Every structure is written in C-alpha cells, then in structure tokens.
Amino acid sequence: MAPALVGGLILTSGPAVSAASIAPAPTRPAEAVRQRLTAGTYLVQLADEPVTTYSRTAVKPGQRLNTRTEAVRDYVDHLNAARKRVLDAVNGVRPVYN
C-alpha cells in the first residue's frame, strides 16, 4: 500500500498543468517516439479492459475470477505484451511500478 500512497503523492504534488498545454495523443507509435518528453514521473494507463470485464474472461455476478483458465492467461499475456510495446517505444523509460 505504501508504494501506491507514495506514487499518489508524487503525482498530486507536481505542478499544475492546464489542459490546453497538453499535446494531443499521437495517432501512430512512430509519432510517440519522436515526441520530446521532459524528465519526470509519468502515470501511464493503457486503454484495454481489465481481466474482470473483458468479454472472454468476465466474471459473472457472485463468482470469483479463476486466474488459472487459458482465456485469462492469454489475455494477461496480451496486456503484458501491450505494456512492453509502450515501454519499448520510448528510450530511457524505467518503470517504477506495474
């Protein structure tokens, strides 16, 4: 729990940024690589659905998620590969927490 609190403090104690100063998201991965980023700590959230709500792995009401099914393992592998592609697209990125 402590890392989450520290991460939250880092993110909330930074300088305020107006929405107008944020560049639009790149439409292609190559554009993301060309962007110049300033040093700092960034929170990156991918757009894929979590395992509990993804159509092939969704949990029915009143049931628990079975993490040992092939569908869950396949989807988690997909999510991990997507995260790796994002990290590999920007040089010098060192994840603090996944």
Side-chain angles (χ1 to χ4, degrees):
M1 180 107 177
L5 292 174
V6 171
L9 292 174
I10 291 170
L11 294 173
T12 59
S13 64
V17 178
S18 68
S21 67
I22 298 174
T27 56
R28 296 187 317 256
E31 291 177 25
V33 174
R34 286 193 294 263
Q35 285 185 346
R36 304 203 108 227
L37 302 174
T38 58
T41 302
Y42 292 86
L43 175 64
V44 178
Q45 182 176 358
L46 302 180
D48 285 333
E49 291 185 58
V51 172
T52 57
T53 61
Y54 177 61
S55 62
R56 290 188 55 222
T57 59
V59 178
K60 295 177 183 167
Q63 292 185 342
R64 297 181 68 163
L65 176 66
N66 181 357
T67 59
R68 295 180 179 173
T69 66
E70 185 177 353
V72 169
R73 286 194 311 266
D74 289 346
Y75 190 60
V76 168
D77 289 345
H78 161 76
L79 295 174
N80 288 334
R83 182 180 63 228
K84 184 178 180 335
R85 281 191 305 274
V86 169
L87 292 173
D88 290 347
V90 183
N91 292 332
V93 171
R94 291 183 313 270
V96 176
Y97 181 79
N98 287 320

